[in-house]
Amino acid sequence: MNQHDSDTGRRRGGPTLPETSAKAPGPDFIRSIIIADREADKNRGRVHTRFPPEPNGYLHIGHAKSIVLNFGIAEEFGGKCNLRFDDTNPAKEEVEYVESIMADVRWLGYDWEDRLFYASDYFDRLYEFAEELVRGGRAYVDSLSPEEVREHRGTLTEPGRDSPYRNRPIEENLELLRRMRAGEFGEGEHVLRARIDMSSPNINLRDPAIYRIKHAPHHRTGEAWCIYPMYDYAHPLSDALEGITHSICTLEFENNRPLYDWFLDNVEAGCHPQQIEFARLNLSYTVLSKRKLLTLVTKGHVRGWDDPRMPTISGLRRRGYTPEAIRAFCERVGVAKVNSTVDIALLEYFVREDLNQRAPRVMGVLRPLKLVIENYPEGQQEELEAVNNPEDPSAGTRLVPFSRVLYIEQEDFREDPPKKWFRLSPGREVRLKHAYYVTCTSVLRDPANGEILELRCSYDPETRGGWSEDGRKVLGTLHWVSAAHALEAEVRLYDRLFDRENPSEDPEGRDFTEFLNPGSLEVLAGCRVEPSLAGAPAGRGYQFLRHGYFCVDPDSEEGRLVFNRTVTLKDSWARIEKSEAR
Ligand code: ATP
Ligand code: MG
């Protein structure tokens, strides 16, 4: 085994990226638009973007793409980016979500400074714009039932039909709108609609709703309103009120752009932001929809929004992903005009790349097997120097205690090894990392069930540090801990949450929860880690030699360490395993 490979997590031959990640050189299409706008002195060269989450769930890696894009563009062009909560729907929104979203954006490394806004801050202004539309004959109160409104809408191939209320006099519309606002009607009795074109080939333009009656308190405005603006109406006007120049959104809003523009063209909003659409991020083996993620949480398929298997920012953070890795991933994925699915392995690649640079190396034994060194004096112990990070000499070294009784990994011993077995077996000599050469002399079994209880070994005192003066070679290097000094730990190993690449699209129409991977979490109790990990704070990341990257879970308590495996060392390890098994 090539120890260097497992130490660094690097694949032999250097890293290669999945083909899907090839990024075209030069600015992407959004940046090209902005560069051209600046050259034409549009908006006097100003660049102002926004990230507009709806506070109805936790942010996920798809949102990270939008955050990196919006804040990144503002940074690059000397502009600004606002954080705006798009909180126009009182029913599904909660303060918990608002707080988690702010924490996640900050954690990703972005700062909205004093530009934290809520669409609900604009409810008065939005209402005034609505009266303005009514006064101009551009909006009317419709009294058809929701059912009838649907029937009048037409289809993709048939035009819609005008509502009998479409030509109400302006004064009557104004009065009804005010009474709607005053709470005189029940939900669904009336709706305020834009008066555009019921025969438009774009269904979004067939007199879309602007305000609906909803007798529900709002998490910020309380009982002040019983009519709430629709997203398609509130969004362009909120953008304009904030002086946004480039309103970047995902592709599914492409057909809403004419409506976005229509609202801005028909009220005095002071400026006209430009909507630009890009393809949303899809990841293999994952779902990225707040509705589906909420289902996973409420149905108990995961432990919460921050379960380390979740693609939420809080889940990835708990898993040990770093903001740097997520940002690098988002930048590499780039923006496109066509929807596609990115291989989750690419995200993992960036996580490894980042952790390889900075995660201290430690030794942890996941499935311990006792090893007794018979020629090592009882009661003796010593401290051996170990390099903290071969990728980063400034990380220094630490001392690791060594003694007569150790634990090694169960899978590092085979009594009856296959050909090309480089680890321990009877009569075989291996190196204990940072320590000594040891040779297995005998195996102690439980007479009752034949299980291996412990290995008996001898060591060569001349090989301190793991090197032999006489040039004698050993093929295997094992990690280990000293039994008396090691700390007990629980380790949680994760696999993909879904066992198929695209759980959301089943040709047979089965629900995505049918494709949950039953083996996505494996909990190992009784693991042993080196004592330097005592008191490691939640969130701290390490490389456990040969096992991958791990981080301390917040479930850890005084005297009880819990680790999440962030990501394996993967390719290097999988290939080595394979060649050894041959
Ligand atoms: P979801 O589909 O998960 O519910 P959403 O679009 O409804 O997401 P919002 O809170 O409205 O969630 O999203 C805030 C911003 O993040 C929007 O500008 C949206 O376009 C963007 N966004 C959401 N999901 C993705 C994604 N998968 N890839 C890129 N951007 C996304
Ligand atoms: Mg949305």
Side-chain angles (χ1 to χ4, degrees):
M1 179 180 119
N2 179 338
Q3 189 62 40
H4 180 72
D5 277 357
S6 68
D7 266 13
T8 61
R10 237 176 231 290
R11 300 180 216 178
R12 274 177 244 193
T16 52
L17 286 175
E19 272 170 55
T20 51
S21 69
K23 196 185 161 190
D28 57 58
F29 79 95
I30 296 181
R31 287 169 170 91
S32 299
I33 292 173
I34 293 174
I35 290 166
D37 285 351
R38 280 157 55 93
E39 277 166 7
D41 205 33
K42 198 176 163 187
N43 306 303
R44 290 208 210 87
R46 225 166 35 84
V47 174
H48 202 148
T49 57
R50 84 286 171 268
F51 172 64
E54 185 180 353
N56 61 348
Y58 280 60
L59 297 183
H60 53 60
I61 181 80
H63 294 114
K65 175 171 173 179
S66 174
I67 292 167
V68 169
L69 184 62
N70 279 293
F71 280 93
I73 281 177
E75 240 166 59
E76 277 163 57
F77 292 95
K80 292 178 171 144
C81 180
N82 298 355
L83 174 62
R84 182 201 313 141
F85 287 103
D86 175 7
D87 58 349
T88 50
N89 182 357
K92 293 187 291 179
E93 297 162 0
E94 285 176 29
V95 179
E96 176 196 348
Y97 298 138
V98 168
E99 283 167 2
S100 76
I101 289 169
M102 292 199 280
D104 288 349
V105 175
R106 272 200 204 99
W107 179 77
L108 281 171
Y110 297 103
D111 185 1
W112 55 86
E113 295 168 335
D114 56 351
R115 295 178 311 279
L116 170 64
F117 301 112
Y118 294 83
S120 57
D121 292 341
Y122 311 134
F123 280 176
D124 285 319
R125 307 282 297 277
L126 296 174
Y127 179 80
E128 282 163 24
F129 285 134
E131 287 209 353
E132 186 183 334
L133 287 172
V134 170
R135 279 196 302 273
R138 297 206 151 82
Y140 63 98
V141 174
D142 197 353
S143 308
L144 291 177
S145 67
E147 178 82 342
E148 289 166 321
V149 168
R150 246 190 317 277
E151 281 165 14
H152 280 71
R153 190 172 295 133
T155 63
L156 282 174
T157 50
E158 281 168 51
R161 284 175 295 131
D162 286 1
S163 160
Y165 302 99
R166 196 171 195 264
N167 293 316
R168 259 181 174 142
I170 288 177
E171 278 314 310
E172 191 181 324
N173 281 320
L174 215 46
E175 192 208 323
L176 282 169
L177 175 60
R178 290 176 181 163
R179 290 174 61 196
M180 279 168 67
R181 178 187 181 173
E184 291 186 27
F185 305 112
E187 291 184 10
E189 268 187 73
H190 303 284
V191 61
L192 182 71
R193 299 177 70 176
R195 201 161 178 277
I196 308 180
D197 179 3
M198 286 306 292
S199 59
S200 171
N202 184 338
I203 294 184
N204 292 298
L205 295 179
R206 293 182 189 170
D207 293 8
I210 300 178
Y211 268 95
R212 64 197 188 296
I213 299 170
K214 212 159 199 166
H215 291 279
H218 184 278
H219 74 109
R220 282 180 60 85
T221 58
E223 308 274 348
W225 294 89
C226 62
I227 58 172
Y228 290 95
M230 304 301 290
Y231 173 85
D232 279 337
Y233 171 73
H235 199 76
L237 297 174
S238 304
D239 281 347
L241 290 171
E242 292 176 13
I244 300 301
T245 56
H246 299 86
S247 177
I248 302 167
C249 65
T250 40
L251 223 48
E252 64 274 21
F253 290 100
E254 202 165 16
N255 289 332
N256 302 52
R257 190 180 345 125
L259 181 56
Y260 182 98
D261 289 331
W262 189 90
F263 284 123
L264 293 172
D265 289 339
N266 284 281
V267 298
E268 284 300 325
C271 78
H272 192 136
Q274 178 184 4
Q275 175 178 308
I276 306 171
E277 310 86 16
F278 71 100
R280 62 193 295 123
L281 174 71
N282 299 303
L283 263 190
S284 60
Y285 298 97
T286 309
V287 296
L288 288 185
S289 130
K290 280 187 280 193
R291 187 181 55 75
K292 288 183 179 136
L293 296 174
L294 179 64
T295 302
L296 294 175
V297 173
T298 52
K299 294 261 166 76
H301 296 300
V302 294
R303 289 179 48 185
W305 284 99
D306 69 344
D307 187 300
R309 291 166 293 179
M310 291 280 271
T312 51
I313 305 298
S314 51
L316 299 175
R317 172 166 64 232
R318 186 164 182 175
R319 174 90 170 245
Y321 285 32
T322 58
E324 290 82 358
I326 294 174
R327 289 205 306 262
F329 166 76
C330 291
E331 276 158 16
R332 174 57 63 100
V333 166
V335 289
K337 264 289 185 192
V338 187
N339 278 314
S340 66
T341 299
V342 175
D343 193 334
I344 197 168
L346 182 64
L347 176 57
E348 291 168 352
Y349 164 82
F350 280 103
V351 173
R352 276 188 202 99
E353 279 292 288
D354 186 40
L355 292 177
N356 180 42
Q357 296 306 314
R358 49 171 136 181
R361 275 56 170 170
V362 294
M363 294 194 284
V365 175
L366 302 190
R367 297 172 181 88
L369 171 61
K370 199 183 217 183
L371 183 157
V372 179
I373 303 174
E374 291 183 305
N375 59 338
Y376 195 90
E378 263 182 87
Q380 181 172 313
Q381 66 178 58
E382 65 190 293
E383 302 215 287
L384 298 163
E385 191 174 33
V387 170
N388 286 331
N389 187 347
E391 296 289 307
D392 174 13
S394 75
T397 60
R398 68 188 182 288
L399 295 175
V400 185
F402 184 87
S403 64
R404 178 179 155 91
V405 183
L406 312 174
Y407 288 114
I408 63 163
E409 210 66 62
Q410 284 171 20
E411 64 184 19
D412 281 338
F413 176 78
R414 294 254 188 105
E415 196 160 21
D416 196 9
K419 263 192 212 156
K420 290 204 177 177
W421 177 255
F422 299 144
R423 303 181 233 171
L424 203 57
S425 60
R428 177 75 53 88
E429 185 171 50
V430 296
R431 171 190 297 115
L432 295 179
K433 182 81 180 171
H434 308 304
Y436 292 99
Y437 286 10
V438 293
T439 304
C440 179
T441 49
S442 64
V443 181
L444 251 64
R445 289 183 174 279
D446 183 338
N449 55 20
E451 245 175 59
I452 298 178
L453 292 178
E454 62 179 59
L455 306 179
R456 295 274 156 166
C457 293
S458 63
Y459 87 116
D460 177 354
E462 301 300 311
T463 56
R464 193 169 197 271
W467 305 105
S468 166
E469 292 275 321
D470 66 12
R472 182 166 98 245
K473 276 198 197 151
V474 288
L475 293 171
T477 301
L478 312 186
H479 61 273
W480 53 273
V481 293
S482 164
H485 302 89
L487 310 172
E488 211 174 311
E490 174 181 313
V491 173
R492 299 171 183 170
L493 305 177
Y494 300 101
D495 196 356
R496 311 242 188 275
L497 187 50
F498 294 94
D499 55 18
R500 61 161 62 190
E501 232 173 279
N502 190 348
S504 297
E505 270 166 43
D506 180 48
E508 289 162 45
R510 281 169 296 180
D511 189 66
F512 74 103
T513 52
E514 308 239 341
F515 309 117
L516 282 159
N517 171 10
S520 62
L521 168 64
E522 184 184 1
V523 178
L524 301 176
C527 310
R528 299 289 201 286
V529 299
E530 62 171 72
S532 70
L533 291 168
R540 181 73 55 87
Y542 298 92
Q543 187 193 105
F544 285 12
L545 287 186
R546 302 169 71 223
H547 280 308
Y549 296 97
F550 293 72
C551 85
V552 181
D553 189 85
D555 283 348
S556 299
E557 299 161 354
E558 181 80 45
R560 178 177 171 263
L561 281 167
V562 180
F563 289 93
N564 295 310
R565 179 153 70 190
T566 307
V567 67
T568 58
L569 298 173
K570 204 195 61 177
D571 295 24
S572 52
W573 184 235
R575 203 162 57 223
I576 290 159
E577 276 254 82
K578 222 162 123 195
S579 66
E580 279 187 358
R582 250 183 255 134

